[in-house]
Amino acid sequence: MQAKTPFASRLAALFLAVLVAMHLLVTLDLFFKFFPATPEFLTMWGISVWAKLLWAATCALGAVAVLFLYRRAWLGFFASIVFCVGLYFASVQLWGAVKGGFWLAVGVAVLALVGAVRSNNSFKPNPLRGSA
């Protein structure tokens, strides 16, 4: 029988889904420019195309991390770390510094680590546990 996903991993997945949704809103604005044209947004829209693509790729990595957190806690933890790294570089390119969303993502990664440590699932099935 497959072990149930730990509560900490499910909570991390929920928080990460909210973070990805918020960052996806920024990504959509980078490409479609639907927020008001204030000086801050004009500066934000002026970043390079590769930085915009990095921001979009970071959102995709976050979505993958959410799925992994529900299925395999350790893979979800590692994917959330990759999300944090991508978010760090994307934030530096977009704002010139890391903002609160990055630190929330770090907190989610710590929560994902707690869930991974508490999980019984590993990278591959254990034949001693029986069939799933």
Side-chain angles (χ1 to χ4, degrees):
M1 182 170 111
Q2 181 82 16
K4 184 180 173 191
T5 305
F7 175 74
S9 292
R10 290 183 309 209
L11 189 61
L14 177 69
F15 287 149
L16 190 58
V18 170
L19 282 172
V20 169
M22 290 184 332
H23 288 92
L24 188 59
L25 185 63
V26 172
T27 303
L28 291 173
D29 183 62
L30 286 174
F31 289 104
F32 299 115
K33 302 175 180 153
F34 53 84
F35 285 133
T38 62
E40 294 83 13
F41 284 113
L42 291 174
T43 303
M44 190 173 84
W45 296 333
I47 65 171
S48 65
V49 173
W50 77 269
K52 292 177 184 180
L53 293 176
L54 175 64
W55 197 264
T58 300
C59 289
L61 287 171
V64 168
V66 168
L67 294 176
F68 279 157
L69 281 167
Y70 275 109
R71 300 205 176 259
R72 297 284 183 189
W74 279 106
L75 289 177
F77 164 66
F78 291 125
S80 67
I81 292 294
V82 173
F83 174 74
C84 286
V85 170
L87 189 58
Y88 174 81
F89 289 111
S91 294
V92 168
Q93 289 299 314
L94 184 60
W95 290 299
V98 292
K99 299 287 184 171
F102 169 76
W103 296 111
L104 290 173
V106 169
V108 167
V110 170
L111 189 60
L113 175 62
V114 170
V117 168
R118 295 189 53 124
S119 73
N120 291 332
N121 55 10
S122 62
F123 292 107
K124 55 186 172 182
N126 186 348
L128 299 176
R129 272 195 284 169
S131 62

